[in-house]
Amino acid sequence: MSNLPEVKQLVGHLFRHEAGRMAAVLYRMLGTANLEVAEDIVQDTLLKAMETWSYHGLPENPQAWLYTVAKNKALDFVRSKKRHELIHSQLADVVHSGWALSASVNNLFLENEIQDSQLRMIFACCHPSLSEESQIALTLKVLCGLSTLEIAAAFLTSDETIQKRIFRAKEKLREQQIKLEVPNPEVFPLRLDSVLTILYLLFNEGYHTTNESKVRLDLCEEAMRLNYLLLQSPTLRLPKVQALMALMCLQASRFPSRQDNNGANVLLEYQDRSLWNRELINRGFLYLKEASMGKELSDYHVEASVAAVHATAKTFQETNWKQLVSLYKLLYEMRPSAIIAMNKAIAVGYAENAANAIEELLSIKGLEQNHFYHAALGNFYQQNGDKMEALKWYEKALLLVRSCNNITILKMKIDSLDNG
Amino acid sequence: MEKFMLIFHGGSDVAPEMQAPEAMQAHMQKWFAWIDQLRKEGRYVGGEPLQPTGKFIVGKNKVVTDGPFAEGKELVGGYFIIEAKDLNEAIQISSDGYPDFIFDGKVEVRPVQKM
């Protein structure tokens, strides 16, 4: 008995990633009329794997094992159906030929076809006819293999709400007979923009979330994984796709330093920059360089450049604040928003002086509920030596903040008023 | 050392948490760890998962039926044969290691009849 092989451990997120890959293949195979069937097949396949592998350990090739089970389940389903029930399915034409059917099914499980299925699915999940929140929920469920409970936890909402969103989204895909295809970005630029927006939102949700659930890092990772998938396609390897990837790499490089040992958030100013992930920074710069080859300048380019300025600064004080001011100015012209105006004002505070920052900040409308805004004003009043005013803004920030990490930071700021 | 059969009723395969691929994988790792431990201690003889379907053959007339199978949470999902000093140790091994208690799974510990 002692010569039994060691139980192999499964690394990474095999189940989750394979759930996404199998779902994409099965959706394409069975058509939008059978989305639930595709989901059930994925779920049953993983359950069977869990049950069997729990007792017997991992098979030689876990991925191939999963695909064989999923293929057989899909074949059983298709054989039980008539041709007219498989509208929009890739298999409608071969359903009556046993050999051609299983060859077609096998073919769809080849690596490059899986990637192609995933790309088609990204464009379907991020279809502009779906609401943004539905696009996000559907992408996470179908492509990233997250359960509705996990999605609900990430977005601080109920399982039921997420289930409804996904249900409605799938209804719409069916009703509008949305084809599973990769639209040519030259002809349909909005379709690609919509995909990029969703990836951007996903990443930001993971990055800036006020919610401390574990899922946050996963959201960033998934957004990067899908963006990487887009870059694998020659037609989609466009400057703005690369710029978004650059942005994500550069932002993600700071993850190791964004929380201290107690899990509390650490502000950029106090982060241990030696912890920043150099490899991600280097990759970010490579993508940014490639992104700059084209003629196009997207918001992602500018945002990635902002992240690049921070990534190259040896210390917070040595940051090139002047460059940040001009980048935020440019970004504001492209996409005017109060948040960008706030970031620009903060950069002005470091590039010029606190008084100018305060003046700019006070002129911004629409951030009355944003605790960062109040905290920034507190910060610059403090720098200007106006303790009373600083305390007023910090206290307002404290009232608005929802995450206990940020409460700790603000309390420290308030304490520092006494010591300063 | 004596042989014991651990019979697992219900458990993770019917748990709603197992809708999440990530959770399935994490749970499977616990089974891996348990079997690994038993193997290292030289206690693991064998085990198999069982499919949820099957047949019943009943009575003199050997009537074959589909049931009555208990509902999912009672169903036998699989078994292990392990070696332990006595029943108490086998019970201890099960309570320490069986990963499905959190999903209301049950373990039936039965000594294998000696010759």
Side-chain angles (χ1 to χ4, degrees), chain A residues 90-98 100-101 104:
Chain A
Q90 294 251 329
L91 301 177
D93 295 333
V94 290
V95 67
H96 294 303
S97 153
L101 178 62
S104 305

Side-chain angles (χ1 to χ4, degrees), chain B residues 44-77:
Chain B
Y44 187 78
V45 181
E48 294 287 348
L50 298 177
Q51 288 199 18
T53 53
K55 294 285 180 189
F56 252 52
I57 306 143
V58 188
K60 290 192 205 91
N61 294 336
K62 298 172 188 168
V63 178
V64 178
T65 65
D66 282 337
F69 276 100
E71 19 171 352
K73 56 182 190 222
E74 301 292 333
L75 206 67
V76 174

Side-chain angles (χ1 to χ4, degrees), chain A residues 89-341:
Chain A
S89 153
Q90 294 251 329
L91 301 177
D93 295 333
V94 290
V95 67
H96 294 303
S97 153
W99 177 83
L101 178 62
S102 70
S104 305
V105 168
N106 274 324
N107 194 38
L108 284 174
F109 272 98
L110 295 177
E111 183 58 35
N112 56 344
E113 288 297 328
I114 295 175
Q115 285 201 8
D116 187 44
S117 299
Q118 282 185 293
L119 285 176
R120 290 164 190 252
M121 209 56 219
I122 293 179
F123 280 93
C125 289
C126 303
H127 197 279
S129 73
L130 308 176
S131 74
E132 219 158 58
E133 53 186 23
S134 295
Q135 294 180 40
I136 291 178
L138 196 62
T139 302
L140 286 173
K141 176 79 178 22
V142 174
L143 283 152
C144 307
L146 262 62
S147 70
T148 48
L149 261 173
E150 289 171 313
I151 302 169
F155 291 90
L156 298 174
T157 177
S158 71
D159 186 29
E160 204 191 342
T161 307
I162 296 295
Q163 284 188 20
K164 273 188 197 150
R165 268 180 213 170
I166 291 175
F167 178 80
R168 279 197 300 262
K170 284 194 284 200
E171 283 289 290
K172 202 144 209 176
L173 288 185
R174 251 190 296 261
E175 283 164 15
Q176 308 211 348
Q177 306 203 351
I178 289 165
K179 283 205 195 95
L180 298 181
E181 61 189 358
V182 179
N184 182 343
E186 277 175 33
V187 189
F188 303 102
L190 288 180
R191 294 288 307 272
L192 178 61
D193 287 351
S194 167
V195 169
L196 296 181
T197 303
I198 293 305
L199 298 187
Y200 177 80
L201 291 175
L202 265 186
F203 186 89
N204 273 350
E205 183 60 33
Y207 195 76
H208 293 299
T209 183
T210 45
N211 158 18
E212 279 128 36
S213 84
K214 291 193 299 212
V215 190
R216 35 176 283 164
L217 263 181
D218 291 354
L219 293 185
C220 294
E221 201 181 293
E222 289 301 321
M224 291 174 80
R225 200 168 62 87
L226 295 178
N227 197 341
Y228 186 74
L229 196 65
L230 296 179
L231 288 171
Q232 300 312 298
S233 156
T235 48
L236 301 174
R237 205 180 165 87
L238 299 170
K240 59 183 163 192
V241 185
Q242 282 165 323
L244 180 57
M245 191 72 194
L247 171 61
M248 293 190 200
C249 288
L250 291 166
Q251 297 282 69
S253 72
R254 294 204 290 272
F255 270 127
S257 62
R258 287 178 79 230
Q259 292 197 329
D260 66 15
N261 294 334
N262 304 318
N265 284 352
V266 181
L267 295 174
L268 184 61
E269 187 173 353
Y270 306 110
Q271 287 178 14
D272 177 355
R273 293 176 181 232
S274 68
L275 295 176
W276 289 359
N277 185 326
R278 289 288 135 197
E279 200 198 316
L280 276 175
I281 292 177
N282 291 341
R283 276 179 58 189
F285 275 103
L286 278 177
Y287 285 119
L288 191 57
K289 197 176 150 200
E290 275 197 63
S292 320
M293 304 284 195
K295 278 177 273 179
E296 184 181 29
L297 183 70
S298 65
D299 334 1
Y300 305 128
H301 282 86
V302 185
E303 281 198 56
S305 306
V306 168
V309 170
H310 286 300
T312 41
K314 280 202 198 77
T315 62
F316 185 75
Q317 286 71 26
E318 287 172 83
T319 307
N320 189 341
W321 293 106
K322 287 211 163 64
Q323 200 182 345
L324 286 181
V325 172
S326 54
L327 285 169
Y328 277 123
K329 221 180 244 169
L330 179 59
L331 196 56
Y332 189 83
E333 282 164 20
M334 300 168 85
R335 198 177 74 207
S337 87
I339 294 280
I340 294 168

Side-chain angles (χ1 to χ4, degrees), chain A residues 8-80:
Chain A
K8 274 190 283 175
Q9 295 296 312
L10 202 51
V11 286
H13 303 287
L14 182 106
F15 268 42
R16 199 172 76 199
H17 292 168
E18 292 305 334
R21 287 159 63 89
M22 289 192 287
V25 173
L26 291 164
Y27 275 131
R28 181 175 165 201
M29 196 184 284
L30 304 176
T32 37
N34 296 301
L35 297 181
E36 277 75 22
V37 179
E39 264 171 43
D40 287 348
I41 292 178
V42 172
Q43 177 70 12
D44 289 352
T45 300
L46 291 177
L47 263 180
K48 188 169 177 186
M50 180 181 76
E51 283 165 16
T52 318
W53 300 359
S54 286
Y55 287 79
H56 293 295
L58 283 188
E60 248 343 276
N61 184 343
Q63 197 184 40
W65 192 103
L66 292 174
Y67 294 170
T68 305
V69 174
K71 270 183 224 172
N72 288 337
K73 286 183 190 291
L75 279 170
D76 285 347
F77 173 77
V78 171
R79 287 193 187 112
S80 73

